[in-house]
Amino acid sequence: MLHIDPDDHILEIGCGHGIAVSLIAPRLKTGSITAVDSSRAMIDKAQRKNEGLDADFIHQSFCETALGDQRYDKIFAFNVNIFLHDAEKELSLIRGYLAPLGALYVFHQPPPASGMEVVQGFADRITGELEKGGYTVRDVLFKKLAPSPCVCVISQPSPTP
């Protein structure tokens, strides 16, 4: 769903064990992937899992992370509630880190045995938060995965008038 290009600069918010990094890093040539997680244990596991791959790991909460002037073509979060603490601040930070024409991908896969109605509820909530935060939703994609369906809401900052 991310359609990785070899020159993409990608930021993952909440990398957990580093599974996504292990799938993305090998596809990058001149691009980069940076993964942020507030859990020291998760960052340690992600680094071990991705030893030998070109990836940067940051142990810090996203809101406290200073990424400097780096701009990202794609920013994504999988099963991370980026709207939990301060959605306005988090979405503002993301807006500042996105490259022109960059996109935010918010994935959610509910617990096993959840049906499409639960996934649709998450899609609606994510869409609402993004629109309230000044983003235009470009696409809402659903995919049947094991053990439950998944949704990906793709958005970009709305143009300012």
Side-chain angles (χ1 to χ4, degrees), residues 40-120:
R40 168 49 64 196
M42 290 296 105
I43 287 292
D44 290 345
K45 288 178 182 181
Q47 287 176 316
R48 280 193 302 275
K49 180 175 187 58
N50 292 286
E51 191 173 331
L53 293 178
D54 190 12
D56 294 315
F57 295 92
I58 300 171
H59 168 231
Q60 209 164 32
S61 76
F62 174 67
C63 285
E64 295 171 351
T65 303
L67 298 168
D69 293 334
Q70 177 64 51
R71 296 296 168 260
Y72 298 92
D73 303 296
K74 296 169 178 133
I75 298 176
F76 74 97
F78 195 105
N79 281 356
V80 174
N81 191 343
I82 60 173
F83 312 116
L84 184 61
H85 300 292
D86 186 347
E88 186 176 330
K89 179 180 180 183
E90 291 163 337
L91 290 172
S92 177
L93 287 170
I94 290 168
R95 178 187 312 276
Y97 291 133
L98 278 171
L101 305 177
L104 171 62
Y105 297 72
V106 181
F107 294 88
H108 190 77
Q109 184 179 25
S114 297
M116 281 305 292
E117 65 284 348
V118 172
V119 177
Q120 183 64 57

Side-chain angles (χ1 to χ4, degrees), residues 112-133:
S114 297
M116 281 305 292
E117 65 284 348
V118 172
V119 177
Q120 183 64 57
F122 278 104
D124 293 344
R125 182 170 163 262
I126 293 166
T127 297
E129 289 288 344
L130 289 167
E131 289 173 343
K132 188 169 67 172

Side-chain angles (χ1 to χ4, degrees), residues 5 17 21 41 91 100 109 111 131 137:
D5 291 323
H17 291 90
V21 171
L91 290 172
Q109 184 179 25
E131 289 173 343
V137 173

